[in-house]
Amino acid sequence: MSVVFKPLAPGATLGVLGGGQLGRMWVHAAQSMGFQTVVLDPDPQSPAGLVSHQHIQTDYLDSAGLQQMAAACQAATTEFENVPADALAQLSKTIQVAPNAHAVAVAQDRRLEKAHFVTCRVPVAPFAVIDSQEDLDAVLNQRAGISLLPGILKTARMGYDGKGQVRVRNPHELVDAYKQLGGVACVLEKMLPLKAEYSVIVARGHDGAMVHLPIQHNVHRDGILAMTQVWSGICDRALETQAIDAAKSIAQELQYIGVLCVEFFVLQDNTLVVNEIAPRPHNSGHYSLDACDVSQFGLQLRCMAGLPLNQPRQHSPAVMLNLLGDIWSADKLGSDPNFPEVLKLSGTHLHLYGKGEARKGRKMGHLTITASTADQAFATANQAAGILGIAAF
Ligand code: ATP
Ligand code: MG
């Protein structure tokens, strides 16, 4: 039994499970609207914990920590999809929780996620679930299974930023990859000829109302999001409509409350395929802080608190560059990248997450570039990339 939903006004206390950069930007947005915040994360130096009114430093499944959180706030959310769904289920006994534990459990497991897409009748990459050695043998012994090669073997749970994935060209590599991933439950997906990657962020309120951010064009490097571009015309109109409709039906079917990001592939033949969902604000939506009249974090708060959801409006074309730890270590003697030089360029918005140590591939911050035209935003983004030692786009 979960609690009956009650709208919350600014002044109430809201909580987030997870203390990473998404939690930090959520805390900033909550505080700017006058909410009090609680972060639950074991790391005393977590980016969100450092800026929150309260920081409960326990493991996500520590029942005393969860009880403390439930006592301290009126509503809670998650910023990290690998927070156990059970933690949300425990909180939902006494406080309102969005998204619900079931939706998070679906997003946490590629097998449930794919099944959900099939239920929603949105197109997915051809795939097979490999739960055991017998499943693997069946894939290897069937024509349908072999036709998934070359493919990508992805662990069903706990993957992010391309981790827990192995690209396999033939049956031999598939057998090796399954061993390499520890024989855990996996999904084998056919490798598709990608033309582009997009994402759509939808927000669904307690009353079922839905709004969305404009479609986002994403460029990955080494399995990690490197750049997002958002402006009118960045995607073919028909595909954009199809993606937004698919994202809404995925949210609707889950009875989802909160911000949901849906990742898509556009294939060489211009067909759209849904890749995966994230039950939270998403890296590809960070530009909305600087380029839209409501950000993805503002939307998350409105959903949690039952405040009105207005359709967001993007007021400037935008490019977002991820700032990975690489640009610190590449720099001489660990000195910071040349941010003052970047900030000389007009329309640059620097966001750093307060992480103490820069490691290769670690998301340290992002830079949003806004401009009056898409061409200008893109040109400035490349200038900034040049200054920061990021390869040109
Ligand atoms: P993240 O959490 O950072 O979004 P992830 O680790 O959950 O990533 P995916 O989104 O499944 O992983 O895959 C990472 C990237 O690998 C995709 O953005 C895409 O570039 C590529 N990729 C994944 N699946 C396929 C596929 N079936 N065919 C071609 N490329 C793929
Ligand atoms: Mg992904």
Side-chain angles (χ1 to χ4, degrees):
M1 259 306 276
S2 52
V3 294
V4 179
F5 174 74
K6 275 206 314 277
L8 299 169
T13 303
L14 306 178
V16 64
L17 287 170
Q21 62 268 18
L22 296 163
R24 180 178 171 105
M25 290 181 268
W26 174 88
V27 165
H28 287 151
Q31 293 181 342
S32 77
M33 280 178 79
F35 290 104
Q36 307 281 311
T37 60
V38 182
V39 168
L40 188 147
D41 188 288
D43 177 3
Q45 297 301 322
S46 74
L50 290 174
V51 296
S52 176
H53 291 101
Q54 277 188 67
H55 179 190
I56 299 168
Q57 293 170 26
T58 63
D59 185 78
Y60 306 121
L61 275 176
D62 181 276
S63 64
L66 290 168
Q67 269 170 27
Q68 201 186 331
M69 184 167 196
C73 58
Q74 284 93 59
T77 188
T78 175
E79 61 100 60
F80 179 45
E81 73 236 62
N82 292 331
V83 159
D86 286 350
L88 289 165
Q90 185 179 325
L91 289 174
S92 71
K93 290 181 188 152
T94 50
I95 58 171
Q96 50 204 52
V97 169
N100 64 55
H102 168 68
V104 174
V106 169
Q108 275 173 348
D109 189 317
R110 290 189 196 275
R111 295 165 296 181
L112 302 178
E113 192 178 46
K114 297 265 193 244
H116 181 70
F117 298 153
V118 172
T119 306
C120 295
R121 302 201 181 147
V122 293
V124 293
F127 71 96
V129 170
I130 302 184
D131 265 339
S132 60
Q133 185 63 45
E134 289 73 54
D135 288 349
L136 178 63
D137 294 342
V139 163
L140 292 168
N141 291 321
Q142 288 165 11
R143 212 144 57 126
I146 292 297
S147 76
L148 295 174
L149 299 172
I152 308 188
L153 188 65
K154 303 181 178 181
T155 58
R157 301 176 63 83
M158 301 303 272
Y160 70 98
D161 288 348
K163 295 189 175 67
Q165 303 196 358
V166 184
R167 296 184 174 214
V168 290
R169 283 170 296 192
N170 52 46
H172 180 71
E173 287 183 1
L174 174 58
V175 170
D176 281 354
Y178 185 65
K179 265 194 225 132
Q180 185 191 325
L181 293 173
V184 297
C186 285
V187 170
L188 173 65
E189 259 178 57
K190 190 175 173 65
M191 177 74 82
L192 299 175
L194 307 192
K195 186 165 157 190
E197 298 192 51
Y198 290 92
S199 54
V200 171
I201 287 171
V202 287
R204 185 173 179 278
H206 282 269
D207 58 357
M210 278 191 270
V211 298
H212 61 88
L213 288 171
I215 195 162
Q216 300 146 187
H217 177 247
N218 301 321
V219 175
H220 292 78
R221 285 178 173 168
D222 298 329
I224 305 178
L225 182 66
M227 173 176 72
T228 297
Q229 299 170 96
V230 195
W231 52 74
S232 172
I234 193 73
C235 180
D236 172 90
R237 283 270 176 253
L239 286 175
E240 178 178 354
T241 306
Q242 211 189 323
I244 292 167
D245 290 349
K248 286 185 171 175
S249 66
I250 289 167
Q252 176 67 37
E253 192 72 28
L254 282 170
Q255 291 296 297
Y256 193 89
I257 297 167
V259 165
L260 176 78
C261 180
V262 184
E263 295 180 12
F264 295 94
F265 298 145
V266 172
L267 309 187
Q268 293 294 347
D269 64 0
N270 265 341
T271 52
L272 186 83
V273 165
V274 64
N275 174 28
E276 59 171 357
I277 56 176
R280 50 169 173 77
H282 191 260
N283 195 168
S284 62
H286 290 353
Y287 73 97
S288 60
L289 285 166
D290 303 303
C292 298
D293 57 4
V294 190
S295 75
Q296 60 171 346
F297 303 101
L299 290 173
Q300 181 76 323
L301 288 163
R302 286 170 180 249
C303 291
M304 292 176 73
L307 293 167
L309 280 179
N310 300 328
Q311 174 57 40
R313 187 181 69 84
Q314 184 181 8
H315 48 71
S316 305
V319 178
M320 190 262 345
L321 299 181
N322 257 344
L323 305 177
L324 302 181
D326 313 46
I327 66 171
W328 272 256
S329 43
D331 216 314
K332 51 181 182 310
L333 295 176
S335 63
D336 271 2
N338 196 347
F339 292 127
E341 199 58 27
V342 166
L343 292 170
K344 275 190 197 156
L345 304 172
S346 54
T348 51
H349 312 263
L350 179 63
H351 299 259
L352 292 175
Y353 308 145
K355 297 184 183 178
E357 194 195 338
R359 288 193 299 269
K360 194 169 157 42
R362 189 175 199 204
K363 291 175 179 169
M364 301 297 291
H366 70 270
L367 183 77
T368 305
I369 299 97
T370 53
S372 54
T373 65
D375 284 350
Q376 183 60 56
F378 186 69
T380 306
N382 263 323
Q383 272 179 283
I387 294 166
L388 294 170
I390 297 170
F393 291 95

